[in-house]
Amino acid sequence: MDPFGRAITYLRVSVTDRCDFRCVYCMSEDMAFLPKRDLLTLEELDRICSVFVGHGVRKLRITGGEPLVRRNIMKLFGSLSRHLETGALDELTVTTNGSQLARYATELAACGVKRINVSIDTLDPDKFRRITRWGDLAKVLHGLDAAQAAGLQVKINAVALKAVNEDEIESLLAWAHGRGMDLTLIEVMPLGEIDGQRIDQFLPLSLVRARLGARYTLEDLEDRTGGPARYVRVRETGGRLGFITPMTHNFCESCNRVRLTCTGQLFMCLGQEDTADLRAPVRALESNDLLDRAIVDAIARKPKGHDFIIDRRNRPAVGRHMSMTGG
Ligand code: SAM
């Protein structure tokens, strides 16, 4: 429980800062990545996650960077799945760009993963390449097929980008709902230096929602998935549509999550710089005493919230990229 009475039941774990894509709003093309020796090992990641589960975390999301490019990552899913079997954990899930799903979908399902988030901002192969710089849409769609064939429930995440995919949001919606997948739209957040100007990319979802509302009947839903999205049911398609609006609507009051980086820094808030180091305590002792204390102390420092502002001078609100703490 944090100082504002919020139960912290959701841990997101970025298992690598590396990615096989270079999405224009996320990274610069020429990124400097962490040396491998700074990373927590898979065993250390498992230990930290398990201590969080012991403290009442009910949901773990593995993210990145691109989590499925980390070597032997299925070992971590396999070991964490024991908490699903004991009932200590409600959900083990992953956010991925889908590039490796064809390879891993069956194994993920076998580890007890039921739902996954796949990030796809456009269905136009050329535009997909322009947005991701290095991505191949056909490979991602093949991965999606594999995920659905393995019985995984898929939610599509799309960042709404001014003049890039804003004319495609209706078709993304029809496509996702037509395949039985929810769609969540995300506003661009000012995290980390990129090559372009965020002010040029920012598209307020209030505008997107108003446009969709002219064509579809959007019925507000009370569903909370433990994430920051607000959902509507689209009456014509029967599917769910989520809006993540950190810029136009602050979602901090119901925040139930903290984020661990691949080097063991715990971020208590996506929009603030304060961190707690969990790598030193996990490496100091074989017992979890220090780690226990570090986690309790960190949660006691969780801030009330954040205000992102997209600055005309193109300064990011926080210096780190989304790939460090994951989506
Ligand atoms: N590689 C995985 C993926 O593509 O889903 C997981 C990590 S990625 C950082 C998680 C999500 O954050 C993706 O949906 C991505 O589009 C989104 N994202 C990255 N940078 C962002 C930014 N500056 N603002 C909003 N969303 C961002």
Side-chain angles (χ1 to χ4, degrees):
M1 194 71 85
D2 81 356
F4 302 97
R6 297 171 296 194
I8 309 306
T9 54
Y10 184 2
L11 175 67
R12 295 188 179 201
V13 185
S14 174
V15 294
T16 175
D17 62 332
R18 287 164 199 253
C19 189
D20 51 345
F21 291 4
R22 288 287 179 282
C23 298
V24 289
Y25 50 80
C26 184
M27 294 186 179
S28 59
E29 184 149 25
D30 183 22
M31 291 283 290
F33 291 112
L34 294 164
K36 295 225 167 86
R37 64 176 178 279
D38 287 354
L39 301 196
L40 294 173
T41 63
L42 295 174
E43 291 72 23
E44 288 167 339
L45 282 165
D46 178 279
R47 243 180 93 195
I48 296 177
C49 290
S50 301
V51 171
F52 269 102
V53 171
H55 278 277
V57 158
R58 308 284 316 172
K59 175 168 174 175
L60 287 174
R61 177 175 300 281
I62 306 301
T63 175
E66 174 45 43
L68 301 184
V69 301
R70 172 131 185 198
R71 190 194 297 241
N72 293 331
I73 190 61
M74 285 303 135
K75 261 179 72 183
L76 181 64
F77 282 96
S79 68
L80 291 174
S81 69
R82 72 188 184 281
H83 299 302
L84 292 170
E85 280 155 25
T86 64
L89 191 65
D90 294 329
E91 187 168 20
L92 175 62
T93 183
V94 62
T95 300
T96 173
N97 65 23
S99 68
Q100 310 299 314
L101 266 180
R103 181 167 166 211
Y104 289 131
T106 313
E107 258 182 282
L108 284 170
C111 293
V113 173
K114 300 242 174 324
R115 303 188 305 166
I116 62 171
N117 289 357
V118 182
S119 304
I120 299 182
D121 302 326
T122 177
L123 293 171
D124 171 331
D126 294 331
K127 205 188 283 181
F128 189 84
R129 173 62 64 131
R130 281 203 300 281
I131 295 176
T132 60
R133 292 193 181 105
W134 297 357
D136 175 1
L137 180 64
K139 195 168 169 196
V140 171
L141 295 179
H142 183 47
L144 265 189
D145 293 338
Q148 290 193 303
L152 296 171
Q153 205 182 313
V154 179
K155 178 164 80 70
I156 302 294
N157 281 342
V159 177
L161 297 163
K162 185 159 81 186
V164 177
N165 63 359
E166 71 176 291
D167 58 337
E168 241 194 289
I169 295 193
E170 267 187 32
S171 44
L172 265 172
L173 175 80
W175 168 77
H177 288 185
R179 289 186 60 145
M181 307 182 294
D182 288 342
L183 171 70
T184 295
L185 301 172
I186 308 174
E187 281 176 350
V188 163
M189 289 173 254
L191 300 178
E193 297 281 353
I194 53 167
D195 300 324
Q197 299 273 336
R198 283 234 168 69
I199 195 108
D200 296 337
Q201 302 175 338
F202 179 63
L203 177 65
L205 290 184
S206 47
L207 181 66
V208 174
R209 187 180 167 141
R211 286 182 189 157
L212 288 174
R215 169 86 202 275
Y216 295 101
T217 319
L218 308 179
E219 299 165 338
D220 279 313
L221 290 175
E222 281 311 303
D223 311 17
R224 308 294 304 194
T225 53
R230 298 278 142 95
Y231 285 97
V232 296
R233 170 85 52 207
V234 181
R235 198 191 292 157
E236 290 77 2
T237 62
R240 285 197 322 163
L241 172 65
F243 297 94
I244 300 187
T245 56
M247 308 302 300
T248 55
H249 176 104
N250 210 299
F251 47 51
C252 305
E253 68 281 355
S254 60
C255 183
N256 61 352
R257 56 205 157 269
V258 288
R259 296 171 149 89
L260 182 71
T261 71
C262 57
T263 57
Q265 284 177 289
L266 188 72
F267 281 85
M268 283 70 83
C269 172
L270 181 62
Q272 307 261 8
E273 302 283 9
D274 188 28
T275 60
D277 175 31
L278 301 186
R279 188 174 59 183
V282 83
R283 288 190 176 167
L285 286 184
E286 269 181 34
S287 88
N288 290 330
D289 296 354
L290 288 177
L291 191 54
D292 266 322
R293 193 162 346 125
I295 289 174
V296 171
D297 290 350
I299 301 301
R301 299 208 310 267
K302 184 168 164 70
K304 193 163 180 201
H306 58 80
D307 291 301
F308 284 131
I309 293 170
I310 292 191
D311 188 292
R312 289 211 167 269
R313 284 159 293 181
N314 202 32
R315 284 182 312 204
V318 292
R320 79 194 113 83
H321 292 88
M322 190 75 157
S323 49
M324 189 164 164
T325 45

